[in-house]
Amino acid sequence: MAGPAAEKLKKSAAASQADGGPDAPFLAAIGAEVRRHRAKRGMTRRQLAQASKTSERYLAQIEGGAGNPSVSVLRGIARALDLTAAALLPDGSARPAAFGHVLDLLAQVPEKELPALVKDIEARVARAEYADRGRRIALVGLRGAGKSTLGRMLAQHLGWPFVELDRLVEEDYGASIPDLMEMAGTATFRRHERSALGRVIAAHEAAIITTAGGIVADPETFALLLRRTHTVWIKARPEEHMSRVMAQGDFRPMAENRQAMADLVAILDARRADYARAEAEVDSSGEAVEQSFAKLLCAVAAWIRP
């Protein structure tokens, strides 16, 4: 359909949404999913618009629940996020009745008890799957938390190999991570990242591994990391993340973005639940490196014994 008729239909749909039509909650939920997955990957709206070949203005409407994307537009956005289109739909996958019952039961659990319950469920699900983690320790978290600095210090202290997954991917691909993403896309980078992690696990019974902050965006890779390494979330306050990244001269993915701090907070919020799945946490906020390192040593003490 093209021409005046199509434009009239588009305006009608927009008006229906603005008036709170029957599809409003569904479209708002799609927008929320797009926004959440974009933030989780650390992408700006402009970057997602370019990668999905969607106008930035229309993408803003979709994220705000005011846009009614076609199947092709939704598929383009999903591909840019390395997802299936169904993953962006609030009710895109069928679940057995028991799943709904579990959700009903969870709704009755006091919020303060949920973290412990999550740990219990993860332990039950993973009991038969957990392979030997050896003495592999992986540091996860947002860029600027201090993963590389603390990881290198820990490796030197223990005399273990120190592996930065990003550097390994760059060696494999023969280009920097920004160049790889620009030329081949985020999905290609994530495949290289998963392959590199698999090789590190196979080659080292004991190692200190640092990961890109966005490793949580690939469920398969992050699940592998959780199964085969002991993980520590290195965290800091958003303003400290920002100042450290700027001090390093690396402003990805906030380059040329006036809403840098807002984007960083959104990224952290979108990833927080995944980072929290780590076995331990070390908060480096407002501390000298030596203080954070001492906390890290305490956190990993049980894992470094022969």
Side-chain angles (χ1 to χ4, degrees):
M1 184 184 297
E7 186 63 27
K8 183 177 180 180
L9 183 60
K10 184 185 295 185
K11 289 181 179 179
S12 176
S16 176
Q17 169 62 14
D19 292 338
D23 291 336
F26 181 73
L27 296 177
I30 289 177
E33 284 300 297
V34 172
R35 195 166 58 247
R36 182 175 70 85
H37 284 289
R38 174 173 66 79
K40 190 172 183 178
R41 282 152 180 76
M43 298 176 74
T44 65
R45 186 178 290 150
R46 176 170 298 179
Q47 288 171 330
L48 179 55
Q50 292 173 344
S52 63
K53 296 181 173 56
T54 304
S55 79
E56 188 175 353
R57 181 179 178 183
Y58 187 40
L59 182 59
Q61 291 177 337
I62 292 172
E63 290 192 349
N68 191 346
S70 66
V71 173
S72 60
V73 168
L74 198 63
R75 183 173 62 180
I77 293 171
R79 284 178 174 172
L81 293 169
D82 196 23
L83 298 167
T84 64
L88 298 177
L89 300 178
D91 56 352
S93 56
R95 297 286 190 175
F99 185 81
H101 183 51
V102 169
L103 292 180
D104 290 339
L105 292 174
L106 284 175
Q108 302 173 43
V109 176
E111 186 175 351
K112 64 181 181 180
E113 296 180 16
L114 288 176
L117 187 57
V118 167
K119 293 288 186 182
D120 290 343
I121 293 173
E122 285 186 338
R124 181 180 179 88
V125 169
R127 191 172 296 133
E129 298 179 359
Y130 275 170
D132 179 20
R133 291 187 176 106
R135 288 180 290 162
R136 292 178 289 268
I137 298 173
L139 308 185
V140 302
L142 205 61
R143 193 170 69 258
K147 292 175 296 185
S148 295
T149 299
L150 294 174
R152 191 173 287 108
M153 290 174 67
L154 184 59
Q156 291 174 349
H157 178 80
L158 297 172
W160 292 3
F162 175 63
V163 181
E164 292 182 282
L165 278 189
D166 273 6
R167 303 292 80 79
L168 197 57
V169 171
E170 289 179 335
E171 291 172 9
D172 290 345
Y173 193 76
S176 68
I177 299 300
D179 287 345
L180 189 162
M181 288 187 170
E182 183 177 350
M183 292 184 291
T186 303
T188 298
F189 166 67
R190 293 300 171 203
R191 286 195 295 271
H192 279 282
E193 182 179 53
R194 189 181 312 150
S195 174
L197 177 59
R199 294 201 311 276
V200 171
I201 290 170
H204 299 288
E205 189 276 337
I208 306 301
I209 305 165
T210 59
T211 71
I215 195 169
V216 298
D218 187 308
E220 184 177 339
T221 304
F222 193 50
L224 175 63
L225 190 78
L226 293 173
R227 286 199 309 271
R228 301 303 304 274
T229 74
H230 298 286
T231 52
V232 183
W233 176 16
I234 308 297
K235 59 196 294 189
R237 290 190 294 266
E239 57 271 22
E240 293 199 43
H241 281 291
M242 181 68 75
S243 63
R244 292 171 185 174
V245 168
M246 292 178 67
Q248 296 165 6
D250 180 3
F251 212 52
R252 293 175 296 123
M254 287 76 73
E256 300 178 3
N257 182 3
R258 296 179 182 177
Q259 300 298 319
M261 180 57 77
D263 280 349
L264 187 146
V265 171
I267 292 168
L268 184 57
D269 286 345
R271 295 175 179 172
R272 190 184 306 278
D274 291 302
Y275 288 152
R277 295 172 65 190
E279 293 176 77
E281 299 179 7
V282 170
D283 193 333
S284 64
S285 300
E287 293 183 338
V289 173
E290 292 75 16
Q291 292 175 293
S292 296
F293 181 61
K295 289 165 64 174
L296 179 59
L297 275 178
C298 290
V300 305
W303 309 330
I304 61 180
R305 299 179 185 128

